Amino acid sequence: MFNGQYSINIISMTQKIIILDFGSQTTQLIGRRVRELDTFCEILPYNKFPKDDPSVIGVILSGSPYSVHDPEAFKVNLEQFVGRIPVLGICYGAQFISHTLGGKVEKADSREYGRANLQTVDTTNPLFKGFEQHSQVWMSHGDTITAIPSDFKVIGSTADVTNAAFASTTQPVWAVQFHPEVFHTLQGKQLLQNFVVDICGSRQEWSAASFVDSTVAELKAQLGQDRVILGLSGGVDSSVAAVLLNRAIGKNLTCIFVDHGMLRKNEFRQVMDDYKVLGLNVIGVDASEKFFADLAGVTDPEQKRKIIGRDFVEVFNAEAKKITDAKWLAQGTIYPDRIESLNITGKVIKSHHNVGGLPKEMHLQLCEPLKWLFKDEVRRVGRQLGMPEHLITRHPFPGPGLAVRILGDITPEKVRILQDADDIYIRGLRDYKVKLSGEEARKVLAAGVPAEMQDGEIEVSLYDQIWQAGVILLSTVRSVGVMGDERTYEHPVALRAVTSTDAMTADWAHLPYEFMAKVSNEIINKVRGVNRVCYDISSKPPATIEWE
């Protein structure tokens, strides 16, 4: 229990690495890499190190947008953990260690950014076990470490950075100026494995199976015979949360699925049918008229999200009040939801309707059994629970639905246009098969996509290669077209498809021209109101995955 809200205390079940976040854009990538080593990690603000927690086996200090010399720079008391447990500083973390313990950090003559090669590597040091000389690393910093503390020694250098990596000779402290968590540091995973497994002593017990067993046990112990209400969205996160809770408390779980009118085509009926197959106790509520009425004339994206979030709570609350003995509200909130909604500086990036807190009048405690998981981990848990593959591999879908894929105001007709176009696009992605081999095939199989290797190749759909896809209706724009002998003046749509592992970063998917031509023609020919199809080739960052 914390501030009246409940979450599964999975931290207590295993060892963990603490990642102290100093505001770096790649902090979450560090977490992902540690999880890939079957080791639980927790990302905390730089000033929230947990004292007297025996499960902490190591600490990683992240990068930061600040210089250690900035007045507003984030600082932490190193005495809390230095000398007690192993510590690894990355980029700003390395600079902070040097600056605090007696070294010297100065502004570089020019920003050191991009690929570099470690010219000298001390492979006798445990951090660099198995490393090759001249291994490629990725630099991204404006300051440089010109002197290290007196009890440290250099264990890695590049042509331009003498103190690219250094280690204490008296305490278990290591620091690297480069970023081992990013793809461009070719042996970054090896470095993190050396630290997490060999130096910190991780038993590598974090897995989907261990998560399911321990979480179900804790849910049973914590919830007992209490009744729990779960808000379902139809997506993989809330569906996995529902099945997990159903395994723990059975019929004491009541699920509520609210249709705000902006779901995909026929989605409400299809999802309700899926939930019946899963044996869930689900109440379906069609509240589309209310949502459309309250959204009328609203064009601002953040305002749309807030109205939908407010209305969802009102509709959900009205239905939940009928369950008079409920004590808990469960949600499918996952780690990226919480990270993206509020960053370390307290600035809201965008509103998520499922992380904004509970209405006081509901008097329910909050249960978020997936709140520590990334999306691919949620999918592994779903497979462990035996859920149907089409539910597990379903692409993420925004809580506000198609409302944030329609630029401008929302009307039932615009939603109809977008639903029809989106249905053609998603079905096309599912139906179009491609053959993969080598590294591409390995990545797809590693993500858990069910496919059999034959003659060194696998065959999968475009849908299964993509993290997220959808259509955006540019309803604030009209374009001239010709259909038959008639001039048209209708809306363009933009197709969006990205590849990612956790939605923190994403690249646009390089879809086959043949596929895009087929889908474009089908949308224009079959969807009334659309006469032009574009393709979005923006990556995240700088763009976001959704347009609003």
Side-chain angles (χ1 to χ4, degrees):
M1 188 74 62
F2 178 71
N3 290 341
Q5 297 185 346
Y6 168 78
S7 62
I8 297 300
N9 186 26
I10 59 174
I11 305 171
S12 63
M13 74 179 186
T14 187
Q15 303 169 310
K16 66 172 176 250
I17 298 290
I18 293 296
I19 301 169
L20 293 182
D21 182 16
F22 289 87
S24 171
Q25 290 184 338
T26 62
T27 299
Q28 289 75 41
L29 282 178
I30 303 172
R32 290 289 304 111
R33 301 297 177 253
V34 173
R35 296 279 184 91
E36 288 170 3
L37 297 169
D38 299 325
T39 302
F40 181 71
C41 67
E42 185 177 356
I43 299 173
L44 296 174
Y46 66 97
N47 57 352
K48 298 295 183 182
F49 179 77
K51 298 179 180 178
D52 303 320
D53 185 344
S55 66
V56 179
I57 60 173
V59 178
I60 297 177
L61 310 183
S62 82
S64 175
Y66 294 116
S67 162
V68 294
H69 299 296
D70 290 342
E72 65 271 33
F74 300 135
K75 297 178 173 62
V76 64
N77 179 8
L78 296 178
E79 293 180 359
Q80 297 175 90
F81 40 79
V82 167
R84 293 200 305 110
I85 50 180
V87 178
L88 172 64
I90 295 174
C91 196
Y92 175 90
Q95 295 169 0
F96 184 79
I97 287 172
S98 180
H99 177 72
T100 305
L101 299 183
K104 191 173 184 180
V105 178
E106 297 181 285
K107 193 163 191 66
D109 293 335
S110 61
R111 182 175 171 82
E112 294 167 339
Y113 180 83
R115 294 176 178 85
N117 290 309
L118 290 174
Q119 306 289 349
T120 306
V121 181
D122 181 2
T123 56
T124 65
N125 189 280
L127 190 67
F128 283 131
K129 185 185 76 173
F131 253 65
E132 300 172 359
Q133 298 293 336
H134 307 291
S135 184
Q136 178 181 291
V137 297
W138 186 264
M139 296 285 188
S140 179
H141 55 94
D143 289 349
T144 191
I145 299 166
T146 55
I148 61 176
S150 59
D151 61 337
F152 281 69
K153 67 175 182 178
V154 175
I155 58 174
S157 302
T158 71
D160 298 319
V161 182
T162 301
N163 302 312
F166 49 99
S168 172
T169 58
T170 59
Q171 301 179 107
V173 180
W174 289 261
V176 294
Q177 183 65 82
F178 54 88
H179 287 269
E181 70 275 18
V182 303
F183 173 77
H184 298 293
T185 296
L186 298 185
Q187 290 188 275
K189 183 176 181 180
Q190 179 69 48
L191 186 149
L192 290 173
Q193 178 172 314
N194 289 343
F195 179 73
V196 171
V197 179
D198 296 346
I199 294 173
C200 297
S202 168
R203 294 189 295 267
Q204 298 184 279
E205 298 170 329
W206 175 254
S207 67
S210 67
F211 175 83
V212 169
D213 291 344
S214 60
T215 302
V216 168
E218 290 200 26
L219 283 167
K220 288 180 177 179
Q222 293 288 342
L223 302 178
Q225 296 301 311
D226 292 349
R227 186 169 294 279
V228 179
I229 302 172
L230 171 68
L232 284 172
S233 69
V236 61
D237 302 332
S238 64
S239 298
V240 171
V243 175
L244 197 61
L245 280 158
N246 189 53
R247 179 169 291 192
I249 62 174
K251 293 301 180 181
N252 282 338
L253 170 68
T254 300
C255 303
I256 299 174
F257 181 29
V258 177
D259 180 7
H260 49 39
M262 284 150 283
L263 300 173
R264 291 190 177 103
K265 188 174 183 177
N266 300 323
E267 185 172 29
F268 184 68
R269 176 183 55 78
Q270 291 169 356
V271 169
M272 288 296 291
D273 289 344
D274 281 336
Y275 288 151
K276 287 182 181 178
V277 172
L278 291 171
L280 299 177
N281 177 25
V282 184
I283 299 170
V285 183
D286 182 356
S288 53
E289 287 189 11
K290 173 180 175 58
F291 282 87
F292 278 122
D294 290 349
L295 285 167
V298 177
T299 60
D300 179 73
E302 188 66 11
Q303 190 68 12
K304 289 181 191 177
R305 288 179 177 271
K306 288 180 178 178
I307 290 171
I308 292 171
R310 181 200 67 200
D311 283 5
F312 176 87
V313 169
E314 289 179 4
V315 173
F316 185 90
N317 194 21
E319 199 64 39
K321 282 182 177 178
K322 299 175 185 178
I323 307 171
T324 57
D325 58 344
K327 295 183 179 180
W328 301 89
L329 174 68
Q331 293 186 150
T333 310
I334 65 173
Y335 214 4
D337 290 338
R338 299 188 293 126
I339 293 168
E340 190 169 66
S341 294
L342 190 67
N343 68 13
I344 193 173
T345 61
K347 297 178 182 177
V348 173
I349 298 173
K350 64 180 179 180
S351 296
H352 284 264
H353 71 277
N354 63 333
V355 293
L358 301 174
K360 293 181 180 179
E361 66 271 16
M362 289 184 74
H363 304 295
L364 297 176
Q365 299 173 82
L366 183 62
C367 174
E368 297 177 299
L370 307 179
K371 68 181 292 185
W372 294 108
L373 301 187
F374 289 92
K375 180 73 73 173
D376 60 324
E377 293 175 317
V378 175
R379 289 192 169 114
R380 286 200 288 271
V381 168
R383 290 189 178 96
Q384 185 67 31
L385 291 166
M387 293 175 60
E389 193 64 28
H390 74 273
L391 282 179
I392 295 170
T393 58
R394 187 175 177 184
H395 288 175
F397 189 63
L402 300 179
V404 291
R405 291 182 179 175
I406 296 174
L407 304 192
D409 65 327
I410 310 298
T411 67
E413 174 61 11
K414 290 179 181 178
V415 171
R416 191 275 308 166
I417 292 172
L418 186 52
Q419 284 178 331
D420 288 347
D422 183 80
D423 184 59
I424 291 171
Y425 183 37
I426 297 301
R427 282 192 293 104
L429 289 169
R430 289 188 182 277
D431 292 342
Y432 196 95
K433 307 295 183 185
V434 294
K435 290 186 177 180
L436 303 176
S437 60
E439 183 65 17
E440 288 184 326
R442 188 196 65 78
K443 287 180 180 179
V444 170
L445 293 172
V449 175
E452 291 186 6
M453 184 79 72
Q454 292 184 351
D455 299 325
E457 291 184 328
I458 60 172
E459 185 177 72
V460 295
S461 69
L462 284 177
Y463 187 89
D464 284 338
Q465 291 184 77
I466 293 167
W467 172 266
Q468 188 168 341
V471 180
I472 296 87
L473 176 63
L474 311 183
S475 67
T476 57
V477 178
R478 287 182 182 270
S479 68
V480 175
V482 177
M483 291 187 179
D485 295 325
E486 296 185 0
R487 174 184 182 274
T488 62
Y489 193 51
E490 296 178 328
H491 299 298
V493 296
L495 307 183
R496 181 72 159 144
V498 298
T499 58
S500 182
T501 56
D502 51 30
M504 304 311 302
T505 61
D507 193 13
W508 62 277
H510 295 227
L511 300 179
Y513 289 159
E514 178 188 37
F515 167 79
M516 289 195 287
K518 182 177 183 298
V519 166
S520 174
N521 288 337
E522 190 172 353
I523 289 174
I524 292 172
N525 289 335
K526 293 183 178 180
V527 181
R528 298 189 318 276
V530 175
N531 68 353
R532 191 178 299 270
V533 175
C534 309
Y535 188 57
D536 181 353
I537 60 171
S538 308
S539 296
K540 175 186 178 180
T544 55
I545 295 176
E546 298 292 343
W547 279 40
E548 292 193 343

